[in-house]
Amino acid sequence: METRTKFSIIYFLIVFLGLFALQYYLTTTSQADISYKTFRELVSLNAVKAVSIGEHTIHGLLRTRSELDSLGVDTTAAAYARLKKIYRRFGAERPVRFRTVRVEDRDLLTLLETHQVDYSGAVESNWVENFLLYWILPFLFLAMLWGFLLRRIGPGNPVLSFGRSRAKIFAADMKNRVTFKDVAGIDEAVEEVREIVDFLKNPQKYQRLGGKMPKGVLLVGPPGTGKTLLAKAVAGEAGVPFFSITGSEFVEMFVGVGAARVRDLFAQAKERAPCIVFIDEIDAIGRSRVSGPVMGGHDERENTLNQLLSEMDGFDSSAGVVIMAATNRPEVLDPALLRPGRFDRQIVVDRPDLNGRVAIFKVHMRHLPLADDVDVHLLAAQTPGFAGAEIANVCNEAALLAARKGRSKIHMSDFEEAIERVVAGLEKRTKVINPREREIVAYHESGHALVGYYLPHGEYVAKVSIVPRGIGALGYTLQTPLEDRYLLTREELLDRITSLLGGRAAEEIVFGTISTGAANDIEKATQIVRNMILVYGMSERLPNVSFADTRKNQFLGAPELQKPFSEKTAEWVDQETRQILDNCYQRARNLLLEHRDRLDALARRLLEKEVVERKELEEILGKVGEMEGAQQ
Ligand code: ADP
Ligand code: MG
Ligand code: ZN
């Protein structure tokens, strides 16, 4: 909204005050309310020029001072004190109107006659005034309001264009364009998309064999994996017009606007075929119509979605319009969107594996001055689970760190520091913790590390630190699997839970009490246990049963639980959860008690140095392989 006029409540206040002042002027300024007695007095003094007598009120006009002068009246006389007061208030040379109540007064007409007052009867309503005040002004006000709101929607262009789609057409800026070379680590997705580009470039090749292009292609994947980037690359490669719009841009505050924009977008697209329409973050409009929360704007979104569906049905794929969309929440999309003939092709853009990360690192290192010690494979190995956006972030951060240190090249250590930053948020060396808390944190982290280290299926413990990082994290134990894992066994999950509980167990053993520092650990552990029971069917009591809704996409966090289960089962689930957590906690405790001396040694070293790397860890906890069941 950067370029648009900033909407401000101040404008309304100004307009409102203006109207208020006008009303004040109309009712008070030019009109004196006087008593009937004063009115008679003024008539007797020849100060009244004309009156109009209504049923309840008498309206009148006073003579100005110069008019009285020309009648030869001496307005300085004491009798005129009252009139002078009115003059002072309203001005002596302006025609001042006045109003008074009409009372039963038989002599009134005679009085008016003798003093040559022009009089007339009046229908009781000063409708001009009322009309202006109560009809015209509110309308003016509303019109202004409307104007402001419109200006707020329109991107600085003519006020009535809000029904037009705001799709940006990517001009083929040949220099800065994004190409498939910029997209790495998601080769399968690139391959599929390349096919679409091919089709648009020479449709005959595909149509000759009776092949039909999918009308809609949906890019699905976690945030930061490069969906938007991929779409831009398509734009850069296709050589056809590329309309890009974000889902939320369809839905604005005015009813009917979203649908109008969809209509307009497709009208434009058809005109310029062959072309590509890209709707980023389509979940903003495509959310399921039944399950979505019913709130304001619900109907509007629904209308927009309906319009989109009917537009997609309204042309066939030979028209040469391909619709691409991206989302990281495919599970909320309305099933109607995914039916054949709409977004029937789904391309999964997942987090990159080790080789993928190497490729992405290389893409982002292309223009960076690297020192000789930079090892891309090692970096990729240290960043499991990172998406492209995070890797880009690491490279950028590393360059900044090197620059800050005054280096001319970026070293491996810069990258490693950058990874740590991205993993755990920025270091906050200035944060002060008191010694007692520091000790608790040291033992807590040592607990995680020791338990993780000694468990047969524990994750590789790379590093322990009590340098406070980011918000809330007072320390951390860096546990990274040595390779990408797609399957986890029951034993590995249990060991993971055990080492998560190791922090709290250490606190309990050493200090005899526990702190809030373990809240996050416990949350994670509980989540794993629940998934084991309800999703993976791994518990003893409820083996091989899943309560997860399989229609929902599972790669993003916890799957939703949909299948209802009985009270009894719920009770079992609770008991089973308790049981597993208790067992794991007990295991962690036992390990720590057994190696109490090493726990103390590790905690002491941490308090001393703040960071203990893998090598030192091995010195303190015993070299791997020497221990029965310890890490390989
Ligand atoms: P998404 O739309 O999937 O959330 P983006 O496409 O916006 O993610 O990615 C953000 C940035 O991260 C990109 O501009 C790019 O610099 C980097 N990035 C993400 N994925 C990749 C990738 N596969 N290859 C190279 N860079 C990537
Ligand atoms: Mg995106
Ligand atoms: Zn912890």
Side-chain angles (χ1 to χ4, degrees), residues 91-111:
E93 295 307 331
R94 294 178 36 192
V96 176
R97 297 182 323 130
F98 65 86
R99 182 170 67 177
T100 188
V101 213
R102 177 177 171 187
V103 297
E104 206 57 41
D105 182 354
R106 288 174 191 282
D107 317 330
L108 179 61
L109 289 188
T110 348
L111 184 74

Side-chain angles (χ1 to χ4, degrees), residues 65 75-78 80-89:
R65 180 174 285 151
T75 49
T76 54
Y80 286 90
R82 175 87 208 155
L83 183 63
K84 281 196 287 196
K85 223 165 146 191
I86 295 176
Y87 280 163
R88 261 205 303 284
R89 177 149 171 229

Side-chain angles (χ1 to χ4, degrees), residues 351-533:
R351 293 208 172 86
D353 61 5
L354 186 75
N355 289 330
R357 292 198 298 275
V358 171
I360 297 175
F361 263 113
K362 282 184 176 160
V363 164
H364 288 281
M365 284 174 171
R366 266 183 316 200
H367 306 296
L368 300 178
L370 298 179
D372 294 336
D373 67 343
V374 174
D375 182 343
V376 184
H377 292 269
L378 209 56
L379 288 176
Q382 286 177 16
T383 49
F386 274 38
E390 277 123 19
I391 293 176
N393 200 352
V394 165
C395 291
N396 185 45
E397 192 77 24
L400 292 176
L401 282 169
R404 198 175 305 155
K405 291 175 195 153
R407 292 179 175 164
S408 60
K409 292 197 164 160
I410 310 170
H411 290 255
M412 191 65 177
S413 59
D414 299 321
F415 278 104
E416 278 167 351
E417 205 178 329
I419 290 173
E420 274 172 36
R421 283 185 183 213
V422 173
V423 167
L426 284 175
E427 290 194 20
K428 266 200 187 167
R429 289 188 193 279
T430 49
K431 194 168 181 174
V432 230
I433 5 173
N434 68 43
R436 162 93 180 154
E437 273 183 353
R438 211 164 153 263
E439 212 182 327
I440 294 176
V441 174
Y443 270 101
H444 179 104
E445 295 306 330
S446 298
H448 284 310
L450 191 144
V451 172
Y453 193 86
Y454 286 142
L455 284 171
H457 303 281
E459 283 179 296
Y460 182 85
V461 183
K463 175 182 185 170
V464 198
S465 158
I466 56 165
V467 177
R469 263 146 218 280
I471 316 149
L474 296 172
Y476 71 95
T477 302
L478 192 62
Q479 282 180 288
T480 50
L482 284 176
E483 56 204 341
D484 288 326
R485 296 298 307 269
Y486 301 104
L487 293 173
L488 288 169
T489 62
R490 185 186 145 87
E491 288 70 32
E492 282 166 329
L493 287 171
L494 286 173
D495 280 5
R496 197 171 273 190
I497 297 163
T498 308
S499 70
L500 277 169
L501 296 175
R504 165 156 285 193
E507 286 182 47
E508 198 218 305
I509 290 171
V510 177
F511 301 100
T513 179
I514 50 181
S515 75
T516 53
N520 197 358
D521 300 335
I522 293 173
E523 190 187 322
K524 275 192 216 153
T526 311
Q527 189 58 51
I528 298 176
V529 176
R530 286 186 70 81
N531 281 353
M532 284 177 72
I533 299 173

Side-chain angles (χ1 to χ4, degrees), residues 113-369:
E113 289 284 357
T114 40
H115 293 278
Q116 295 152 26
V117 178
D118 199 359
Y119 63 89
S120 62
V123 183
E124 186 75 335
S125 143
N126 41 0
W127 66 272
V128 179
E129 213 166 274
N130 286 345
F131 187 69
L132 208 64
L133 261 181
Y134 300 112
W135 288 96
I136 300 291
L137 288 185
F139 273 116
L140 271 179
F141 185 69
L142 283 180
M144 275 184 201
L145 192 99
W146 183 242
F148 277 123
L149 291 180
L150 284 188
R151 202 165 316 157
R152 219 184 132 212
I153 313 165
N157 54 16
V159 159
L160 277 170
S161 71
F162 63 93
R164 312 229 29 199
S165 99
R166 296 223 252 101
K168 294 175 274 295
I169 300 187
F170 272 71
D173 173 3
M174 283 304 164
K175 247 190 181 166
N176 296 322
R177 73 194 174 127
V178 178
T179 66
F180 287 142
K181 283 203 203 74
D182 299 301
V183 188
I186 44 173
D187 296 339
E188 287 145 55
V190 171
E191 249 353 279
E192 293 205 47
V193 169
R194 199 190 290 272
E195 201 183 306
I196 295 161
V197 172
D198 260 8
F199 172 82
L200 286 172
K201 276 183 174 163
N202 43 1
Q204 311 86 341
K205 180 176 146 197
Y206 289 85
Q207 281 165 347
R208 203 181 27 158
L209 298 176
K212 245 193 185 171
M213 210 50 212
K215 232 186 253 181
V217 178
L218 187 62
L219 302 175
V220 175
T225 45
K227 299 178 295 296
T228 308
L229 184 74
L230 190 57
K232 282 186 188 154
V234 170
E237 299 268 353
V240 298
F242 184 87
F243 296 87
S244 166
I245 191 163
T246 308
S248 59
E249 283 175 301
F250 281 120
V251 190
E252 302 231 7
M253 64 198 301
F254 287 96
V255 177
V257 170
R261 285 201 176 140
V262 172
R263 223 174 295 131
D264 185 66
L265 175 65
F266 279 83
Q268 283 186 49
K270 274 182 234 170
E271 240 167 61
R272 308 194 52 165
C275 69
I276 297 170
V277 174
F278 176 56
I279 305 172
D280 208 352
E281 276 145 51
I282 194 174
D283 40 285
I285 41 169
R287 199 164 307 162
S288 175
R289 282 169 292 185
V290 275
S291 74
V294 183
M295 292 186 302
H298 180 73
D299 282 344
E300 169 63 359
R301 217 199 52 231
E302 208 164 282
N303 287 341
T304 310
L305 175 58
N306 286 335
Q307 186 66 36
L308 179 66
L309 293 175
S310 77
E311 288 291 345
M312 286 190 80
D313 292 339
F315 62 87
D316 66 315
S317 52
S318 60
V321 180
V322 172
I323 299 147
M324 284 175 71
T327 181
N328 45 34
R329 311 173 56 196
E331 70 281 358
V332 303
L333 290 185
D334 197 290
L337 265 178
L338 306 176
R339 273 209 286 273
R342 289 167 185 160
F343 290 105
D344 45 4
R345 176 87 66 98
Q346 291 195 29
I347 300 180
V348 176
V349 185
D350 220 337
R351 293 208 172 86
D353 61 5
L354 186 75
N355 289 330
R357 292 198 298 275
V358 171
I360 297 175
F361 263 113
K362 282 184 176 160
V363 164
H364 288 281
M365 284 174 171
R366 266 183 316 200
H367 306 296
L368 300 178

Side-chain angles (χ1 to χ4, degrees), residues 517-589:
N520 197 358
D521 300 335
I522 293 173
E523 190 187 322
K524 275 192 216 153
T526 311
Q527 189 58 51
I528 298 176
V529 176
R530 286 186 70 81
N531 281 353
M532 284 177 72
I533 299 173
L534 297 170
V535 183
Y536 312 133
M538 282 181 177
S539 68
E540 262 149 36
R541 234 174 190 161
L542 302 161
N544 303 332
V545 74
S546 168
F547 297 96
D549 186 353
T550 46
R551 287 182 304 130
K552 308 270 166 166
N553 191 301
Q554 297 207 358
F555 67 75
L556 296 156
E560 249 168 79
L561 300 176
Q562 285 268 319
K563 218 175 277 180
F565 42 71
S566 66
E567 284 285 316
K568 186 142 191 126
T569 310
E571 228 166 83
W572 270 351
V573 170
D574 280 346
Q575 282 171 17
E576 191 78 16
T577 308
R578 197 52 290 136
Q579 188 70 47
I580 295 177
L581 286 172
D582 282 351
N583 285 347
C584 289
Y585 188 74
Q586 213 47 51
R587 272 207 311 152
R589 245 182 84 89

